[in-house]
Amino acid sequence: MIRKFMFGTPINTEAAAESEEAAVGSVPFVEIQEGGTKLFYEMDEADIIYGLGENIRGINKRGWIYESRCNDDPQHTEDIRALYGAHNFFVLDGKACFGVFLDYPGIVQFDMGYSHYDRIEITLEDANYVLYVITGENPADITKQFRKLIGRSYIPPRWAFGYGQSRWSYKTEEEVLQVLENHKRAGIPLDAVYLDIDYMEHYKDFTVDKEAFPDLKKLSGRLACEHVHLVPIIDAGVKVEPGYEVYEEGLENGYFCKNEDGSAYVGAAWPDRVHYPDVLNANARKWFGEKYQYLCDMGIEGFWNDMNEPSIFYSEDRLMEFFRELENYTKVRPDMGHVGELRGKLAALENNPEDYKKIWHDKDGKRLCHRQMHNLFGYNMTRAAGEAFERLYPDKRILLFSRSSYIGMHRYGGIWTGDNRSWWSHLLLNIKMMPSLNMCGFLFSGADIGGFGSDTTEDLLMRWLEFGIFTPLLRNHSAMYTRRQELYAFDRTEALAGILKLRYRLLPYLYSEFVKAAVNFEMYLAPLSFAYPKDSFASQVEDQLLVGESIMIAPVYEQNARGRYVYLPERMKLYVFQREQIARKTVLEAGHHYIEVSLEETAIFVRPGHLLPLCAGGLHTEELDWDKLQFLGMEDEEASYLLYNDDGYEKDYENPEHYTRLRKR
Ligand code: GLC
């Protein structure tokens, strides 16, 4: 049951798709104080907190303080509080079981047992919000009700489930063709090559650098003949440059975010000085969204939206102030204190919370300060594109994912989890974060596989792929100045390619499970406890996940480990794949086991009463043969599987013609 409570005059975020009547009476479970800006709950020793979407730490969020404040911070270390998304939904499971969704687009602190281990303390900046309290049988049931409330998750075209190769940046047409050629030569599956900011002319959105990419349409056509898609990046900031069409149009129509005096606000990102499109304003959103057509006309069918927290590298006022202060330093006798001070001041130039107070939006005819609705920007940038695609290409699915997000955005696009590092701990973080993202509706998501920053190693990339093949977005992306991270850059290219080939063999299953999860408001990647709520050990397992209805995975995430301990809540059949082929299979009883999983191996556990369909595989999603499937599962039992398939672009997901009930022969 969902109960909705209104406080003050909330900003309409349009996070919920279904409208609930506001409840009368007092809010259950949580105690509300300080005029509504603080919410408390006393926890029991064994209480668990699930949710909060894109955040660091565990599946169980207890014991840290998280902040909903979309933030461009590439240091995803254990002590930070905010990442790029703001996902204010959690479920408490223990002596009571309930879910809370705080629909509030400003900054929120979720102190989940940080100040006091037994207490949840939530702090908002003002008391204008909608609070949903959801009760149900268990966390899975509560999450499902929540997901229904917020509406169906975005479903990308089928090719987007293939492998994508990215790097900051493939700078020229030749380089892109080389990437394609290298994949072909090495027999590495491929469905997409990503273009980072250098394809643009001086980082100007909706332009193409004609020297580096003389004919993008021809290039995308050439790739399409090889079943590969080009996926360009779009950044939130529009370069300030007289004569540049997008800048001129935006300025003329008042479509950019403003200063208090009504002039266009100037921030800075990759192109240096930028204006931000006021995507909270419906007209500006329409205008910005339709700009994507420029690239769609060149055969582009997918985009990634970046820098949309929005990122402000510096503001002019603050930088000038910093320069003035520097002058004072020339008059002092230098010491260590000055170095520390300067470091702090330099760091404070970037994404400074005070700068966000100077930005103004024009939302539904009202002037509103950005600070109050900071967390809606990335959401609405992606919504701009999503709404435009719906108008311009109603019969087609276009790939779209974003860095920054708020709940509600999950209906328009997916997310990637930003600038992680080539660290083993970030592989583990990826594993733990996925179910929380799914709870908040972000099914189409994934991390930069192999790690974005820092130099990766072959074994880390291999282990990461062995997990990544189960995440809907499967993209290898790395930063400039890091070691090359394409699969052909390593000694064991064949083994790395083999893991991707396993992904393609699994695609009939993974795609079916994804679409069914979206349509039925289910989890695609779930913690064990969601399926085994009565198993008290299952709720403590943080490094194994359920993928759809049939399988459990237990990735290896430690360097030099040749296997790992796993917990089985029930009897399951273990298949160990060596690259894309089954190397061993065995039935394991419920309980704890040590399993051997060498570097080139991936372990998949099939649940009893379920089947895992496998196809023969291929190098592109379009090549897969969905008619000839092999079924994995227990030999001695009856089981069937509901397969979903469509033409990869159509949107009638509920059409019974897309579903086939298959039985083991
Ligand atoms: C940001 C993005 C990263 C991208 C880079 C350059 O750091 O998160 O993925 O490569 O900008 O565009």
Side-chain angles (χ1 to χ4, degrees):
M1 183 171 126
I2 303 184
R3 269 171 289 180
K4 171 182 177 181
F5 301 91
M6 305 262 283
F7 293 85
T9 41
I11 290 172
N12 182 8
T13 66
E14 294 170 77
E18 278 182 15
S19 89
E20 291 278 323
E21 288 292 306
V24 278
S26 57
V27 177
F29 305 110
V30 286
E31 191 189 320
I32 298 184
Q33 289 181 7
E34 299 190 22
T37 59
K38 274 199 185 282
L39 280 66
F40 295 96
Y41 180 76
E42 293 299 326
M43 287 185 281
D44 224 28
E45 187 62 24
D47 284 358
I48 292 177
I49 306 167
Y50 296 101
L52 292 185
E54 186 177 22
N55 261 304
I56 53 150
R57 300 204 175 214
I59 290 178
N60 182 352
K61 286 278 171 281
R62 186 165 178 175
W64 185 243
I65 178 165
Y66 305 88
E67 197 172 61
S68 276
R69 176 174 60 87
C70 297
N71 192 24
D72 172 12
D73 183 348
Q75 305 304 330
H76 305 179
T77 48
E78 216 176 288
D79 58 342
I80 61 157
R81 296 179 181 191
L83 285 169
Y84 311 88
H87 305 149
N88 302 346
F89 170 64
F90 68 89
V91 175
L92 183 123
D93 187 28
K95 103 188 132 179
C97 187
F98 61 92
V100 168
F101 172 43
L102 253 181
D103 189 7
Y104 172 76
I107 284 116
V108 196
Q109 310 280 340
F110 288 93
D111 182 338
M112 300 308 217
Y114 163 76
S115 302
H116 308 281
Y117 191 70
D118 291 332
R119 182 191 270 223
I120 293 180
E121 289 182 25
I122 303 171
T123 310
L124 300 96
E125 292 203 327
D126 57 73
N128 301 302
Y129 57 93
V130 184
L131 169 68
Y132 296 88
V133 180
I134 309 172
T135 45
E137 272 169 44
N138 50 45
D141 173 38
I142 290 169
T143 302
K144 185 167 177 159
Q145 293 182 54
F146 171 65
R147 292 268 307 282
K148 252 190 199 158
L149 171 78
I150 60 172
R152 191 170 67 212
S153 298
Y154 163 78
I155 303 175
R158 194 178 50 208
W159 63 262
F161 291 82
Y163 176 64
Q165 181 57 55
S166 185
R167 173 140 181 115
W168 177 18
S169 286
Y170 297 130
K171 287 195 171 162
T172 60
E173 178 179 298
E174 290 78 59
E175 213 180 330
V176 169
L177 291 170
Q178 198 56 54
V179 171
L180 178 73
E181 193 47 42
N182 291 344
H183 279 80
K184 265 170 77 176
R185 194 172 310 145
I188 306 168
L190 186 69
D191 266 81
V193 176
Y194 284 76
L195 295 179
D196 208 315
I197 46 175
D198 294 283
Y199 81 88
M200 296 183 237
E201 193 190 297
H202 305 297
Y203 309 141
K204 286 185 286 187
D205 279 339
F206 315 113
T207 68
V208 175
D209 179 342
K210 290 281 175 340
E211 261 178 45
F213 292 90
D215 193 341
L216 196 75
K217 189 172 182 177
K218 201 161 143 212
L219 180 67
S220 78
R222 184 152 166 205
L223 262 66
C225 294
E226 312 261 3
H227 309 294
V228 176
H229 295 77
L230 264 186
V231 184
I233 194 169
I234 302 291
D235 279 0
V238 170
K239 184 170 169 63
V240 173
E241 186 185 279
Y244 160 42
E245 200 182 281
V246 184
Y247 161 80
E248 294 289 357
E249 275 180 24
L251 209 58
E252 194 180 311
N253 295 295
Y255 287 157
F256 293 127
C257 295
K258 304 206 169 53
N259 292 305
E260 199 162 12
D261 67 6
S263 57
Y265 177 84
V266 183
W270 300 123
D272 206 349
R273 303 173 83 234
V274 293
H275 291 321
Y276 301 97
D278 186 359
V279 285
L280 273 310
N281 166 341
N283 294 332
R285 191 162 64 237
K286 182 166 184 290
W287 165 75
F288 193 77
E290 287 176 2
K291 290 283 160 212
Y292 287 70
Q293 198 178 357
Y294 169 74
L295 288 152
C296 293
D297 286 347
M298 298 183 193
I300 300 299
E301 296 183 346
F303 298 90
W304 46 311
N305 281 346
D306 194 18
M307 311 303 284
N308 49 4
E309 292 68 30
S311 188
I312 305 179
F313 286 174
Y314 69 89
S315 68
E316 240 158 56
D317 308 353
R318 195 169 301 284
L319 187 60
M320 289 314 289
E321 178 59 31
F322 179 65
F323 289 162
R324 277 192 291 276
E325 284 180 23
L326 278 183
E327 272 181 29
N328 297 335
Y329 283 94
T330 59
K331 296 168 200 142
V332 297
R333 186 172 167 275
D335 62 30
M336 273 305 290
H338 296 122
V339 178
E341 242 172 59
L342 278 170
R343 270 202 199 113
K345 284 184 178 160
L346 201 60
L349 287 177
E350 220 170 306
N351 304 320
N352 191 304
E354 292 304 308
D355 286 338
Y356 292 109
K357 291 184 182 162
K358 296 182 189 151
I359 304 178
W360 293 80
H361 295 280
D362 177 4
K363 187 180 187 308
D364 309 325
K366 272 193 232 129
R367 247 164 58 88
L368 293 172
C369 180
H370 177 86
R371 173 79 181 190
Q372 285 171 269
M373 47 206 281
H374 173 69
N375 293 333
L376 295 183
F377 191 89
Y379 162 15
N380 281 276
M381 177 190 175
T382 299
R383 178 179 170 193
E387 285 176 341
F389 296 155
E390 203 55 54
R391 279 194 305 275
L392 299 169
Y393 317 105
D395 300 325
K396 199 165 161 186
R397 275 137 69 185
I398 293 191
L399 169 62
L400 181 61
F401 60 93
S402 171
R403 193 171 69 180
S404 182
S405 59
Y406 181 85
I407 289 169
M409 200 206 85
H410 69 286
R411 299 193 295 270
Y412 301 95
I415 55 173
W416 93 98
T417 57
D419 298 349
N420 61 3
R421 304 280 282 269
S422 298
W423 293 346
W424 290 87
S425 61
H426 278 182
L427 163 55
L428 181 58
L429 179 62
N430 186 191
I431 297 169
K432 293 182 181 190
M433 203 191 282
M434 292 306 294
S436 315
L437 292 177
N438 275 222
M439 286 177 71
C440 297
F442 295 95
L443 296 190
F444 192 76
S445 48
D448 286 349
I449 288 170
F452 173 73
S454 309
D455 291 332
T456 201
T457 57
E458 186 181 68
D459 56 345
L460 174 59
L461 180 60
M462 204 170 298
R463 288 304 193 191
W464 210 319
L465 282 170
E466 285 160 10
F467 169 64
I469 56 171
F470 298 99
T471 64
L473 170 64
L474 170 62
R475 183 178 78 141
N476 175 343
H477 180 49
S478 55
M480 61 160 89
Y481 307 125
T482 61
R483 175 183 190 182
R484 297 305 295 208
Q485 203 166 285
E486 293 81 8
L487 270 49
Y488 48 78
F490 299 90
D491 295 339
R492 297 203 207 185
T493 301
E494 237 180 277
L496 292 162
I499 299 158
L500 287 186
K501 285 179 185 160
L502 174 57
R503 157 72 158 217
Y504 281 66
R505 294 199 68 193
L506 288 165
L507 264 179
Y509 174 73
L510 300 178
Y511 185 63
S512 296
E513 290 307 302
F514 181 93
V515 176
K516 287 189 287 176
V519 170
N520 303 321
F521 308 102
E522 298 283 357
M523 300 281 280
Y524 165 82
L525 283 162
L528 298 197
S529 57
F530 273 46
Y532 304 97
K534 300 211 164 73
D535 181 328
S536 61
F537 193 83
S539 61
Q540 291 182 54
V541 178
E542 291 255 340
D543 58 358
Q544 299 173 210
L545 299 176
L546 296 162
V547 187
E549 62 168 48
S550 302
I551 63 173
M552 177 182 87
I553 54 167
V556 176
Y557 51 85
E558 275 175 1
Q559 189 157 30
N560 302 318
R562 295 201 193 143
R564 54 161 290 172
Y565 286 94
V566 287
Y567 174 68
L568 270 65
E570 61 182 328
R571 188 168 177 254
M572 291 184 189
K573 185 152 180 188
L574 163 65
Y575 288 86
V576 178
F577 286 80
Q578 156 93 17
R579 307 182 184 177
E580 76 274 32
Q581 301 298 345
I582 298 169
R584 307 185 286 287
K585 52 187 177 184
T586 172
V587 174
L588 293 178
E589 297 304 322
H592 297 269
H593 300 266
Y594 181 83
I595 56 160
E596 282 177 12
V597 195
S598 70
L599 191 53
E600 295 180 13
E601 292 179 340
T602 304
I604 299 179
F605 301 81
V606 182
R607 299 172 65 193
H610 291 276
L611 290 179
L612 171 64
L614 272 188
C615 70
L619 294 179
H620 310 284
T621 51
E622 281 169 37
E623 277 178 10
L624 303 181
D625 182 353
W626 286 60
D627 293 329
K628 287 201 196 74
L629 300 176
Q630 171 190 353
F631 293 99
L632 308 189
M634 300 281 187
E635 258 129 51
D636 51 353
E637 54 170 41
E638 286 279 301
S640 70
Y641 183 71
L642 188 63
L643 186 82
Y644 174 90
N645 199 10
D646 54 21
D647 72 1
Y649 287 104
E650 57 202 330
K651 295 178 179 171
D652 57 339
Y653 310 107
E654 266 141 80
N655 184 344
E657 284 175 16
H658 297 321
Y659 296 83
T660 325
R661 173 67 60 190
L662 298 169
R663 274 166 226 289
K664 201 168 41 171
R665 258 167 286 200

